[in-house]
Amino acid sequence: MKDVPLLRSSVCTPHRRLCMAVDVEHYSRLDTRTQSVVQSELVRMLDEAAALTGLDRSAWIRQPQGDLEFAVLPKATPEDAVLGPFVHHLAVRLGDRNARPAAQRVRLRMAVDTGVVADAALGHAGPAPVAVARYVNAPQLKAVLATLTVADLAVMVSDRLYQDVVRAGWPDLDPAQYTQVHVRVKEFGGYGWIRVPGHAPCDIRSAMAEVPEPKPELLPSASAPSRMPLSQYVHQGAAVGRDVVGGLTVGLPVSPPSADPGPAR
């Protein structure tokens, strides 16, 4: 039996990048031919939106997953351009496409975060890829798109990006158009901000009215065996536990709480 060669050490070198996921709503309900068409059109719309924004899609590290494209963007990518003009152009391209006679309507969920990411055997590893995967599948984002039936695109950005970029006052970004949500999916817990182009924050809040509020993580009792928590709430960015979803993997344990956690915040 031949030995399996070891991965090069450079494969696991972490770096900080902007990560994005774009997912097609109700993709599994489509027949095979329509799925193929929708995949091609999704790539075309992303290409066109990037070109109109001045972004080079050929430099993106893309990880297609059928109804979803995950991408790691180059280091020099301007984050405000992605959150502003790119989202705008994607919404316009999507609206134009759906306005075609007899076209199968395509609706998208999009998530963006920035943070540590590393190349891995099955794609990418690190907090940012996992956070993006959780944000794009957040119950709140799904509920917003399902309820606002006129909308074609719903976007969630991480709290880190909202605080660092959206609130910085860039011309194409209006902080008042975002609504904060607390996301808990599997072992992931964090804050995100939802924006739906063409819809006011009050519409977003109304659409999320029926989504249950995530329950707080209970700390282990003194009599319970000591366990390392798989997630924690954070106000900046996101903390993740060990998980594997498709090609997005992570193995970063979270430090256990100290014996005296201090006053609650």
Side-chain angles (χ1 to χ4, degrees):
M1 180 177 179
K2 295 183 179 179
D3 294 334
V4 178
L6 296 175
L7 295 174
R8 300 188 306 273
S9 58
S10 60
V11 171
C12 298
T13 301
H15 40 267
R16 190 166 297 276
R17 293 289 188 273
L18 193 67
C19 297
M20 176 193 302
V22 181
D23 197 358
V24 179
E25 182 192 49
H26 300 323
Y27 175 84
S28 61
R29 299 181 184 180
L30 306 176
D31 58 43
T32 302
R33 179 181 176 278
T34 307
Q35 287 180 352
S36 178
V37 171
V38 167
Q39 286 189 31
S40 297
E41 293 187 337
L42 173 60
V43 172
R44 176 184 58 80
M45 289 187 291
L46 292 172
D47 288 346
E48 291 177 352
L52 290 169
T53 309
L55 303 175
D56 182 9
R57 278 263 290 169
S58 66
W60 295 16
I61 303 174
R62 295 155 54 187
Q63 185 177 330
Q65 300 177 30
D67 60 336
L68 179 150
E69 180 182 288
F70 170 79
V72 178
L73 279 59
K75 183 177 180 180
T77 301
E79 296 169 340
D80 62 297
V82 173
L83 301 184
F86 178 82
V87 169
H88 168 75
H89 290 305
L90 179 59
V92 172
R93 300 277 79 70
L94 188 56
D96 291 344
R97 184 243 174 244
N98 287 338
R100 297 201 310 252
Q104 173 67 48
R105 191 177 181 195
V106 173
R107 308 177 76 214
L108 302 176
R109 300 190 311 274
M110 175 179 171
V112 191
D113 191 13
T114 183
V116 174
V117 57
D119 297 336
L122 298 179
H124 300 87
V130 171
V132 164
R134 298 299 183 252
Y135 285 135
V136 82
N137 286 302
Q140 296 96 328
L141 195 62
K142 290 183 177 181
V144 165
L145 196 60
T147 304
L148 301 180
T149 56
V150 178
D152 291 320
L153 175 66
V155 182
M156 183 180 290
V157 304
S158 67
D159 188 64
R160 185 193 307 274
L161 279 174
Y162 178 84
Q163 302 297 339
D164 292 350
V165 181
V166 176
R167 293 186 62 187
W170 294 97
D172 297 312
L173 297 174
D174 181 3
Q177 294 301 308
Y178 292 77
T179 300
Q180 187 185 46
V181 296
H182 181 211
V183 178
R184 174 164 290 280
V185 181
K186 298 185 179 181
E187 295 85 10
F188 170 86
Y191 289 92
W193 294 78
I194 296 178
R195 176 194 167 203
V196 179
H199 289 265
C202 60
D203 298 330
I204 299 174
R205 288 190 290 269
S206 297
M208 296 188 301
E210 302 301 322
V211 180
E213 187 69 18
K215 296 181 179 180
E217 185 79 7
L218 297 178
L219 294 177
S221 63
S223 59
S226 176
R227 296 183 60 188
M228 181 177 295
L230 293 182
S231 67
Q232 67 181 16
Y233 289 7
V234 291
H235 193 70
Q236 296 284 338
V240 296
R242 293 180 294 274
D243 199 7
V244 177
V245 175
L248 309 182
T249 62
V250 67
L252 302 178
V254 177
S255 300
S258 60
D260 181 11
R265 293 183 179 178

